[in-house]
Amino acid sequence: YTFGASTMLVHGRVGVHDVLRSVRSRTFGSSASVRSSKSGGLLWKLAHGSYDFETDMYSKLDGIPTPAYNAPLKASANVVKTSRLTNSLPIASVDLKGSKATIALIVKAGQRYTNSVSEAIPSILSALAFRGSEMQSKLSILRMLESHGISTKDAGCVVDRENLVYHVSSSRLNASWGDATVAMVESAIRPLIFRGLADPRAYDMALAELKATAKKLEAAHSKGPMLDDVLHSAAYGDSALGMPLNCDARKFMQSADMHLLSEYISMFFSAPRVMLVGVNVDHEELINVAKLTCLPDLLPTDQMQMEPEAWVGGQRRLDSASAAAAFGFDASSTSTLASKPESAAPLIVLEHLLNNGSGSVRINTRVKVETSLASALRSHPEISKLAGFTASAKLARYSDAAMFSVSAQAPDTSSLSAIEGVLSDMMASGEILGAGLPERIESAKKRASCNFLAERETGFAAAYSSGTHLIAGAPYVGLNDVLKSISSVTPAQVESVYQSLLSSPNPAAALLGRALVPVTYRERVKQLSSSSS
């Protein structure tokens, strides 16, 4: 099924049907047939985005036997095994019965723990992942990954607002994941740049990696400020969760200092702030591999004590080459990572309700599917003719905070006042929810369940979900419990939680456009840096 769908998406349905007919005739004989695309078959639905999980998951194709699924499809909380090293560093494993092993090193050292001096360090550490360590050169690590059939796409590091997430994926059928895990841990805790004290060439190689990353950051910032960063700054102030996720390229190279990096690692890379998570690996083998790394040498105590995040609210206006407006609401009372699934489920359904595709708009010769939120806003005369208009909703969940936001943007900077006015008015009146709410909520629940099922049954997503919950001190919630909570959400709950968002005190607003303030984004970053220092 996967081969047919992916081939159709790339080459078109004519070519794939020829391939399927050939496979069908060799496997089942000439009497077997594949349902025609005109009749709305499974492959047609997969290629055209109309696939429905509950209805089509077990659809039977003529002449093709229904496969027997021996492995459980849904991971429950009891499949997560946890233990600790001698320094209390936690280790967790999840067995999804898959053929691919994924190992993740999750460090509670993301952007919320930085300041104006260390703002770029998480991005620097991410750029140095698998690029050499004090014990191994970059070339030896890359050769090892290549010899085990691990591509560079399967090994890397993700920076979010709370954590650094190093990850590597490999086949579980051999010991390749063990060697890759050792290289991952060593390059994270003892990166190649630390060899610069004894080997100037290693320092130059590390700087070359960082300069390449700095160029990417420079290109990203040349497009203007990031709307999500500005909204978080308005919601939480200029510290902790208000720190920008996308650091400035100038600060990036200034922070590429061995002493700053060493101090940051020694401060945040302690046993209580680090977790090793394995998916589809034996738990005892994972512990043995962890003992081969420098993880047992980490300090057993947490030297950093952070106060709980506090919502600030307010409005931020910045100059930008495009128009954008976003409104954020405090949802920490119901939807933090530690919240029970039944309390967060209504907001999860609301997010999918606003993001579900319910309309289409023609862009040149292509037809683009719009979110329900964008379709509702486009019904207004001031928005209907805007080219490139997009809108979406997002639920951001953290260990001690949560924010639900709606945003809209368009390339035309002169449209900011229209976007801001229409978005705020239609939110206040509830028009963004649209008509036929009960039926659309059922569809949103189905889509949310399918997304959770698809995400939590893959290696990296399972490692990320379980690791971020456990390292935040929150219990890992089994997928069955999540799906049950989503399915029990009623339209009345969705409307109630929506009204509670609108009535919450001190909402946050981020507005981007031309001539809003007589200061550019870069000048604003410099002002914030000088005021913080």
Side-chain angles (χ1 to χ4, degrees):
Y1 297 152
T2 304
F3 166 77
S6 60
T7 308
M8 179 180 292
L9 290 172
V10 176
H11 300 291
R13 61 179 182 274
V14 176
V16 75
H17 272 76
D18 294 338
V19 175
L20 288 174
R21 289 191 187 97
S22 175
V23 174
R24 174 204 63 204
S25 60
R26 294 180 184 181
T27 308
F28 303 105
S30 58
S31 60
S33 63
V34 175
R35 193 180 303 172
S36 170
S37 60
K38 295 181 179 179
S39 63
L42 179 60
L43 292 173
W44 173 264
K45 292 181 178 181
L46 282 168
H48 290 78
S50 59
Y51 179 80
D52 179 86
F53 175 78
E54 292 187 358
T55 305
D56 297 319
M57 180 65 180
Y58 300 103
S59 296
K60 185 176 181 180
L61 296 180
D62 296 336
I64 299 180
T66 302
Y69 299 99
N70 296 321
L73 287 176
K74 302 174 183 178
S76 57
N78 56 10
V79 303
V80 180
K81 296 181 179 179
T82 58
S83 58
R84 293 183 180 273
L85 297 180
T86 54
N87 59 351
S88 298
L89 188 144
I91 295 179
S93 64
V94 184
D95 192 1
L96 300 179
K97 310 298 181 183
S99 61
K100 198 170 187 178
T102 300
I103 313 297
L105 181 72
I106 301 178
V107 187
K108 201 185 330 182
Q111 287 297 125
R112 72 174 296 177
Y113 303 106
T114 63
N115 53 34
S116 59
V117 177
S118 59
E119 173 187 329
I121 290 182
S123 298
I124 291 176
L125 295 178
S126 173
L128 294 176
F130 295 95
R131 294 299 185 266
S133 66
E134 287 185 335
M135 304 299 295
Q136 292 178 283
S137 67
K138 171 185 174 181
L139 184 60
S140 64
I141 290 180
L142 294 180
R143 283 179 174 175
M144 179 272 296
L145 295 177
E146 183 180 1
S147 66
H148 290 314
I150 304 174
S151 67
T152 53
K153 295 181 180 180
D154 292 328
C157 179
V158 177
V159 182
D160 64 26
R161 297 192 183 275
E162 289 199 297
N163 305 301
L164 284 168
V165 184
Y166 298 84
H167 62 92
V168 62
S169 297
S170 172
S171 172
R172 69 178 297 179
L173 302 179
N174 53 47
S176 60
W177 63 267
D179 296 335
T181 301
V182 173
M184 175 182 68
V185 173
E186 294 294 332
S187 67
I189 301 177
R190 299 170 180 172
L192 177 67
I193 197 171
F194 285 0
R195 290 177 60 185
L197 294 174
D199 186 0
R201 292 177 300 175
Y203 184 71
D204 293 338
M205 291 176 62
L207 282 184
E209 293 287 342
L210 299 181
K211 287 179 180 178
T213 305
K215 289 183 178 179
K216 297 179 182 178
L217 292 173
E218 185 73 29
H221 275 288
S222 65
K223 300 178 182 179
M226 304 296 180
L227 182 61
D228 192 57
D229 281 349
V230 180
L231 184 61
H232 275 75
S233 178
Y236 298 105
D238 295 323
S239 61
L241 289 176
M243 292 297 296
L245 184 60
N246 304 275
C247 68
D248 184 78
R250 177 179 55 85
K251 289 186 176 182
F252 185 87
M253 292 309 300
Q254 289 178 352
S255 299
D257 180 84
M258 285 183 288
H259 300 289
L260 282 178
L261 293 174
S262 177
E263 182 180 357
Y264 191 86
I265 289 177
S266 62
M267 186 177 299
F268 290 100
F269 283 58
S270 58
R273 304 181 69 89
V274 177
M275 169 172 276
L276 188 67
V277 182
V279 178
N280 294 329
V281 298
D282 182 77
H283 189 73
E284 295 300 324
E285 291 183 16
L286 182 62
I287 295 176
N288 293 333
V289 170
K291 293 178 180 178
L292 299 176
T293 67
C294 56
L295 291 179
D297 301 330
L298 296 180
L299 293 176
T301 57
D302 187 359
Q303 303 181 58
M304 296 299 300
Q305 298 297 328
M306 303 293 294
E307 295 182 359
E309 191 57 87
W311 181 274
V312 177
Q315 186 181 97
R316 291 290 173 96
R317 291 174 172 261
L318 289 180
D319 186 58
S320 176
S322 60
F327 297 97
F329 306 92
D330 186 12
S332 57
S333 61
T334 60
S335 302
T336 66
L337 290 179
S339 300
K340 294 182 178 179
E342 54 268 21
S343 65
L347 273 181
I348 294 174
V349 174
L350 177 61
E351 177 189 18
H352 285 81
L353 174 68
L354 297 178
N355 288 334
N356 270 357
S358 64
S360 61
V361 59
R362 181 172 292 278
I363 303 176
N364 296 328
T365 58
R366 297 182 301 164
V367 176
K368 180 182 178 181
V369 177
E370 283 192 322
T371 63
S372 299
L373 177 60
S375 298
L377 295 173
R378 194 177 285 278
S379 64
H380 195 280
E382 295 187 59
I383 305 295
S384 59
K385 296 182 180 180
L386 288 181
F389 177 79
T390 58
S392 61
K394 180 181 179 182
L395 175 61
R397 305 178 66 186
Y398 307 106
S399 59
D400 57 353
M403 177 172 65
F404 188 89
S405 62
V406 292
S407 61
Q409 45 195 326
D412 185 8
T413 55
S414 63
S415 61
L416 176 61
S417 59
I419 293 176
E420 177 190 3
V422 172
L423 181 59
S424 58
D425 291 344
M426 295 187 71
M427 284 184 60
S429 63
E431 294 179 70
I432 64 171
L433 298 180
L437 199 57
E439 294 78 8
R440 293 176 52 245
I441 287 179
E442 288 301 316
S443 176
K445 289 160 56 176
K446 191 180 298 184
R447 178 65 62 88
S449 298
C450 290
N451 287 347
F452 271 99
L453 183 64
E455 292 173 0
R456 294 277 284 270
E457 294 296 334
T458 59
F460 173 75
Y464 182 87
S465 176
S466 58
T468 52
H469 275 79
L470 294 173
I471 202 170
Y476 179 72
V477 181
L479 184 57
N480 291 340
D481 298 328
V482 175
L483 299 181
K484 183 179 178 181
S485 300
I486 291 175
S487 64
S488 61
V489 173
T490 64
Q493 287 180 301
V494 175
E495 293 187 52
S496 175
V497 74
Y498 178 75
Q499 293 300 326
S500 66
L501 289 176
L502 296 182
S503 60
S504 60
N506 302 324
L511 304 174
L512 306 181
R514 289 293 187 190
L516 285 174
V517 288
V519 61
T520 64
Y521 177 65
R522 292 189 176 280
E523 291 171 341
R524 178 59 177 163
V525 170
K526 293 179 182 178
Q527 289 180 1
L528 293 176
S529 301
S530 60
S531 63
S532 299
S533 59

